[in-house]
């Protein structure tokens, strides 16, 4: 299958340029790139150099694949991700997850900036993702399935690893960082939600809304990876609180929350058993 050949070519290109065999893959969301400062870097590869990788178009996302160690564990970090709203197909958006799996990754950690739909939330809070709702109107697994990559109908009854969630909550407790837990809903964007849409999302059981993560997580699950997801609440979408929102505000709030997020991920990586 062509997809498998593309994955193999990308994996080959990367393994020739690093001695790192990553066990953990990390995707850094909007305004959340600082974790890279904690990585002992072996190699930085710009996305545009990697065969078959799409090229990032959002300015706030640096497009680099970083190989190194974090908390003494070998990691591969995506500094910047690909979004559906940029015009990529979901197969393109999730291609790097396939490559991560090909490199040796067992656990995928995903982060994102999201709007808070839960009344207990404040701007700058973090939410451990317990489950998701896919409202993208598309699925990265649509089309022919390659059984070598995963099953036709992958189970989604428990996508977000309970052990990793528990570990994160424990780390939060120890460091005085409150972590919400909740459901992340993905919309295609790029327009933000209307008040009626926010009310709808709250009613269907979502706690945070964003434009990413779900495609990568579906493919990770398809590929048999364990998944941990965390949202940075950059704005509040609660009735009576909804205010005009700019992308700059989203980035600023994510930037401010970065130290907390960095600590959680760094410690999670340190303590997780592989
Ligand atoms: N809606 C959708 N995506 C987002 C939001 C939001 O309110 N905040 C950050 N990403």
């Amino acid at each position: 299958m062509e997809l498998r050949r593309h994955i193999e070519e990308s994996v080959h290109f990367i393994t020739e340029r690093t001695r790192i065999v990553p066990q953990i893959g990390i995707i850094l969301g909007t305004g959340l790139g600082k974790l890279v400062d904690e990585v002992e870097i072996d190699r930085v590869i710009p996305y545009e150099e990697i065969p078959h990788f799409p090229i990032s178009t959002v300015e706030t996302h640096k497009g680099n694949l970083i190989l190194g160690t974090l908390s003494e564990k070998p990691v591969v970090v995506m500094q910047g991700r690909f979004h559906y709203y940029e015009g990529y197909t979901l197969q393109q958006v999730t291609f790097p997850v396939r490559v991560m799996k090909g490199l040796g990754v067992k656990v995928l950690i995903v982060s994102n900036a999201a709007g808070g739909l839960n009344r207990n939330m404040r701007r700058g809070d973090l939410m451990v993702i317990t489950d998701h709702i896919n409202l993208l109107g598309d699925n990265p697994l649509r089309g022919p399935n390659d059984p070598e990559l995963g099953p036709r109908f992958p189970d989604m009854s428990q996508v977000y690893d309970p052990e990793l969630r528990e570990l994160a909550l424990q780390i939060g407790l120890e460091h005085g960082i409150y972590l919400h837990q909740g459901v992340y809903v993905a919309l295609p964007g790029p327009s933000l939600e209307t008040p009626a849409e926010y009310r709808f999302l709250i009613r269907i059981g979502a706690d945070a809304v964003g434009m990413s993560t779900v495609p990568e997580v579906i493919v990770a699950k398809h590929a048999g990876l364990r998944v941990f997801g965390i949202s940075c609440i950059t704005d509040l979408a609660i009735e009576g609180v909804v205010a005009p929102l700019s992308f700059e505000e989203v980035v600023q709030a994510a930037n401010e929350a970065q130290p907390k997020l960095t600590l959680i991920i760094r410690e999670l990586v340190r303590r997780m058993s592989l």
Side-chain angles (χ1 to χ4, degrees):
M1 294 262 258
E2 188 172 69
L3 174 59
R4 224 191 307 154
R5 186 170 57 78
H6 285 179
I7 296 165
E8 279 160 17
E9 284 169 6
S10 293
V11 167
H12 179 73
F13 178 89
I14 295 161
T15 49
E16 281 204 319
R17 282 160 180 77
T18 180
R19 56 186 171 80
I20 299 286
V21 181
Q23 301 240 43
I24 300 163
I26 303 172
I27 302 178
L28 299 175
T30 305
L32 300 170
K34 267 278 194 297
L35 178 85
V36 168
D37 296 346
E38 309 266 328
V39 176
E40 191 145 329
I41 296 176
D42 178 66
R43 186 82 194 211
V44 178
I45 311 177
Y47 293 153
E48 62 262 31
E49 291 181 11
I50 306 172
H52 312 299
F53 253 55
I55 293 158
S56 186
T57 61
V58 181
E59 285 161 32
T60 49
H61 285 256
K62 281 197 196 151
N64 289 317
L65 196 70
I66 293 160
L67 293 120
T69 55
L70 175 63
S71 308
E72 274 138 40
K73 292 209 172 76
V75 296
V76 54
V77 181
M78 281 184 77
Q79 193 179 30
R81 61 146 63 80
F82 304 101
H83 294 87
Y84 194 49
Y85 64 73
E86 294 174 85
Y88 303 114
T89 65
L90 288 185
Q91 286 76 13
Q92 288 177 305
V93 165
T94 56
F95 181 74
V97 177
R98 298 287 185 199
V99 173
M100 284 179 169
K101 162 85 181 181
L103 290 168
V105 164
K106 305 277 182 290
V107 179
L108 180 70
I109 297 175
V110 276
S111 64
N112 59 54
L117 299 167
N118 187 304
R119 289 207 166 267
N120 300 322
M121 290 173 170
R122 300 287 174 271
R123 202 162 170 250
D125 283 357
L126 299 176
M127 183 188 91
V128 171
I129 303 176
T130 57
D131 202 350
H132 72 226
I133 300 173
N134 179 12
L135 290 190
L136 293 171
D138 196 356
N139 191 300
L141 305 179
R142 186 168 171 272
N145 184 61
D146 182 347
E148 290 282 320
L149 300 178
R152 171 74 290 188
F153 301 107
D155 174 56
M156 293 282 149
S157 64
Q158 195 166 69
V159 179
Y160 297 87
D161 192 274
E163 254 176 64
L164 295 177
R165 275 159 46 196
E166 193 51 48
L167 196 52
L169 296 180
Q170 187 64 35
I171 293 162
L173 265 180
E174 287 170 20
H175 291 85
I177 299 170
Y178 181 76
L179 296 173
H180 297 277
Q181 298 185 75
V183 174
Y184 175 91
V185 59
L187 267 65
S191 53
L192 289 152
E193 295 71 33
T194 64
E197 287 167 342
Y198 281 134
R199 282 195 298 275
F200 164 73
L201 297 173
I202 291 168
R203 282 203 196 175
I204 64 170
D207 297 289
V209 53
M211 305 171 189
S212 69
T213 302
V214 167
E216 293 106 316
V217 167
I218 290 173
V219 165
K221 194 70 189 159
H222 183 248
L225 305 182
R226 291 166 73 199
V227 175
F228 177 79
I230 187 161
S231 292
C232 173
I233 305 301
T234 55
D235 54 279
L236 297 174
I238 301 156
E239 227 180 336
V241 187
V242 178
L245 173 67
S246 73
F247 188 67
E248 287 69 30
E249 287 174 88
V250 168
V251 175
Q252 194 201 345
N255 275 322
E256 285 166 16
Q258 282 200 89
K260 290 190 292 186
L261 181 91
T262 299
L263 188 148
I264 298 287
I265 295 182
R266 189 188 66 212
E267 289 307 308
L268 188 65
V269 167
R270 187 188 310 285
R271 295 196 209 173
M272 73 169 63
S273 40
L274 292 162

